[in-house]
């Protein structure tokens, strides 16, 4: 351990080990709230002891053993939790009959435990905001303050979401388990949705001063990769990982030196991360091998792959992208998908064809406050030479977005047309 920064070293260990630790404890206690409390107790013990003793050879096993011991001590003092004493006590008694292998104990059923924890934090009984907060807290290892900063909400709001989420899970008696085959498809969809929500907030922030929040993208990618390792036969998991890897590859080129957003067609593609693209293409091929090439995330990844394979914007296969959006609209229809299809159709077959699709969405309630609808219409109108209408649309889009960088970009485009 670094003597100059012991807390930094412990924080690094905690970020890596806490998901597995909480998952293992949740399996024993059947309560994610109790599991996190025990894990936090173990962290406090590490903060007290490791600066002097150094980080153990197997820090995860040390934390697990410490949390178990503290759990037994605490539960024994609480008569209302007598049943949990017996459950944990039986497990410890078995370890006392056979000298424990701490490394094996830490890894015992860890894959199943982590998978069960992911499904628990993303349970349908919780609101989408609560699922995101609890997942980032228990699986991402983020503090309440870090989650609050990432989503630009008060720390107290995030803390309340997490507390209420734990209470909801406990009150509803949500089992700590991987769903059965009948429930799995629907439940897996909720998990993937949470991971992608986290990624999207990092990739294109909805509000604030920053266009990108790379740390959130990294957290989502880490969760996606964990999920792919735990559920290797689920094609849509690989589809989502492929989508995130390929989209994340553009991050270095999405912001100029002055911090302003750089749109896709204007990006310097030599700055795209070729390693992330390669990883994404491998994950996309894995989804295809598993028979999932027509899944919603796999289709979006295939669209991203079309951009990734084009060395210049002019080489982009827009006709294929338009066809992929057609397929996506059939299996997962939404106004946003249709708006994206309008862009692809415009690039493939002309701005008039795309504008016709976009115009048909103007009365769509779901897009009433969606700034990208007037933004897309503004772009297409400008390409058709209808500059005054385009300027009005860009100004309207700027008034609707909550992201400062995006607002500046839209106002600049409106100003250019005004000149």
């Amino acid at each position: 351990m670094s003597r100059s920064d012991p807390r930094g070293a412990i924080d690094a260990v905690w970020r890596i080990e806490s998901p597995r630790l909480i998952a293992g404890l949740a399996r024993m206690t059947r309560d994610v709230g109790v599991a996190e409390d025990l894990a936090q107790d173990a962290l406090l013990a590490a903060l007290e002891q490791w600066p002097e003793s150094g980080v153990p050879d197997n820090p995860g096993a040390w934390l697990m053993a410490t949390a178990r011991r503290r759990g037994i001590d605490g539960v024994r003092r609480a008569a209302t939790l007598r049943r949990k004493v017996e459950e944990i006590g039986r497990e410890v008694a078995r370890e006392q009959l056979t000298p424990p292998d701490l490394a094996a104990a830490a890894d015992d059923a860890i894959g199943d435990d982590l998978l069960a924890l992911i499904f628990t934090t993303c349970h349908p009984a919780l609101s989408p905001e609560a699922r995101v907060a609890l997942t980032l807290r228990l699986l991402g290892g983020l503090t309440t303050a870090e989650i609050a900063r990432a989503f630009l909400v008060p720390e107290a709001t995030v803390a309340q979401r997490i507390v209420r989420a734990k209470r909801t899970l406990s009150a509803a008696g949500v089992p700590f388990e991987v769903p059965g085959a009948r429930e799995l498809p629907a439940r897996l969809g909720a998990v993937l949705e949470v991971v992608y929500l986290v990624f999207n907030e990092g990739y294109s922030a909805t509000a604030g001063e920053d266009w990108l929040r790379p740390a959130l993208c990294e957290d989502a990618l880490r969760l996606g990769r964990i999920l792919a390792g735990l559920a290797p036969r689920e094609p849509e998991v690989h589809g989502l990982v492929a989508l995130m890897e390929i989209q994340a590859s553009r991050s270095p080129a999405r912001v100029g030196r002055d911090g302003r957003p750089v749109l896709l067609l204007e990006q310097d593609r030599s700055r795209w991360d070729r390693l992330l693209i390669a990883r994404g293409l491998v994950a996309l091929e894995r989804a295809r091998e598993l028979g999932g090439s027509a899944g919603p995330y796999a289709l979006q990844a295939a669209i991203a792959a079309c951009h990734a394979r084009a060395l210049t914007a002019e080489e982009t296969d827009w006709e294929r992208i338009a066809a992929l959006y057609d397929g996506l609209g059939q299996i997962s229809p939404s106004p946003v998908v249709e708006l994206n299809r309008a862009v692809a159709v415009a690039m493939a077959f002309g701005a008039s064809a795309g504008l016709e699709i976009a115009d048909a969405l103007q009365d769509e309630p779901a897009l009433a406050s969606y700034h990208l609808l007037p933004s897309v219409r503004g772009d297409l109108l400008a390409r058709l030479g209808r500059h005054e209408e385009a300027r009005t649309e860009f100004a309207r889009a700027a008034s609707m977005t909550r992201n400062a960088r995006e607002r500046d970009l839209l106002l600049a485009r409106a100003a250019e047309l005004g000149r």
Side-chain angles (χ1 to χ4, degrees):
M1 174 181 292
S2 169
R3 293 289 179 181
S4 61
D5 184 20
R7 179 58 193 256
I10 295 172
D11 284 347
V13 169
W14 176 253
R15 185 65 65 92
I16 295 168
E17 297 292 346
S18 63
R20 292 184 293 178
L21 175 63
I22 294 169
L25 293 167
R27 171 171 50 87
M28 290 188 297
T29 64
R30 300 291 164 180
D31 188 315
V32 293
V34 172
E36 191 192 9
D37 289 343
L38 293 176
Q40 290 289 338
D41 285 345
L43 173 61
L44 289 175
L47 289 168
E48 292 169 358
Q49 298 178 36
W50 291 3
E52 296 300 324
S53 64
V55 176
D57 292 337
N58 191 328
W62 189 98
L63 289 166
M64 178 65 79
T66 300
R68 283 175 169 177
R69 285 196 300 271
R70 296 202 171 202
I72 293 169
D73 292 341
V75 172
R76 278 176 178 159
R77 290 193 296 267
T80 58
L81 298 178
R82 202 166 286 151
R83 179 178 56 82
K84 289 188 172 66
V85 171
E86 295 170 357
E87 290 176 2
I88 300 174
R90 280 195 294 271
E91 185 150 352
V92 173
R94 286 195 295 270
E95 291 179 356
Q96 289 172 343
L97 292 173
T98 305
D101 179 343
L102 290 182
D107 292 333
D108 180 37
I110 200 65
D112 289 343
D113 289 348
L114 273 174
L115 198 55
L117 182 59
I118 291 174
F119 277 102
T120 301
T121 61
C122 297
H123 196 275
L126 304 177
S127 69
E129 296 83 3
R131 293 177 206 170
V132 168
L134 197 60
T135 299
L136 286 175
R137 176 63 179 264
L138 301 187
L139 283 144
L142 275 66
T143 65
T144 302
E146 287 171 330
I147 299 169
R149 282 197 302 272
F151 287 91
L152 302 180
V153 295
E155 188 174 341
T157 299
V158 173
Q160 287 177 348
R161 286 176 185 170
I162 292 172
V163 169
R164 288 172 183 165
K166 293 176 187 175
R167 287 176 181 166
T168 298
L169 293 174
S170 180
V174 171
F176 184 79
E177 63 186 14
V178 178
R182 188 172 297 178
E183 291 181 71
L184 188 61
R187 292 285 303 281
L188 182 61
V191 172
L192 299 181
E193 180 183 7
V194 166
V195 175
Y196 197 40
L197 278 171
V198 173
F199 179 84
N200 270 337
E201 187 58 33
Y203 186 74
S204 185
T206 56
E209 298 295 326
D210 297 317
W211 174 242
L212 287 174
R213 296 193 185 116
L216 277 181
C217 289
E218 292 166 8
D219 285 323
L221 271 170
R222 183 155 52 88
L223 290 172
R225 291 166 184 161
I226 289 172
L227 198 54
L230 298 175
R233 302 296 302 173
E234 295 293 337
E236 271 291 79
V237 174
H238 297 285
L240 175 59
V241 171
L243 174 59
M244 295 191 297
E245 299 274 16
I246 297 172
Q247 286 188 321
S249 73
R250 305 174 197 157
S251 294
R254 293 187 70 233
V255 179
R257 296 185 186 280
D258 57 0
R260 293 182 181 179
V262 181
L263 300 178
L264 176 62
L265 298 183
E266 300 168 3
Q267 288 171 17
D268 177 0
R269 300 189 177 208
S270 68
R271 297 183 64 199
W272 287 3
D273 190 322
R274 306 314 298 185
L275 176 59
L276 286 178
I277 290 173
R279 291 180 64 148
L281 294 177
V282 168
L284 182 58
E285 178 61 19
R286 180 61 178 151
R288 188 195 65 78
E289 291 172 353
L290 292 169
S293 58
Y297 290 110
L299 281 173
Q300 291 177 77
I303 292 167
C306 288
H307 294 294
R309 292 188 176 106
L311 297 181
T312 66
E314 292 72 25
E315 295 175 52
T316 306
D317 188 349
W318 285 105
E319 290 190 18
R320 174 164 172 72
I321 291 175
L324 288 168
Y325 272 120
D326 282 338
L328 183 61
Q330 290 174 22
I331 65 168
S332 185
S334 80
V336 172
V337 169
E338 189 68 359
L339 182 60
N340 285 326
R341 188 174 77 87
V343 174
V345 167
M347 296 300 295
F349 306 111
S352 293
L355 184 60
E356 184 178 347
I357 298 171
D359 283 349
L361 296 170
Q362 289 193 86
D363 295 327
E364 176 61 53
L367 299 182
S369 59
Y370 190 57
H371 70 282
L372 291 182
L373 175 56
S375 176
V376 166
R377 291 194 73 252
D379 184 65
L380 298 180
L381 288 165
R383 286 171 55 187
L384 291 169
R386 295 160 61 178
H387 291 172
E388 187 57 32
E389 293 173 81
R391 187 184 68 79
T392 299
E393 287 296 272
F394 283 133
R396 189 160 72 94
S399 71
M400 294 165 69
T401 183
R402 293 187 293 131
N403 185 281
R405 293 291 186 181
E406 194 167 25
R407 184 183 304 112
D408 290 344
L409 175 66
L410 290 164
L411 289 174
R413 298 191 72 184
E416 288 173 12
L417 291 170
R419 289 194 294 269

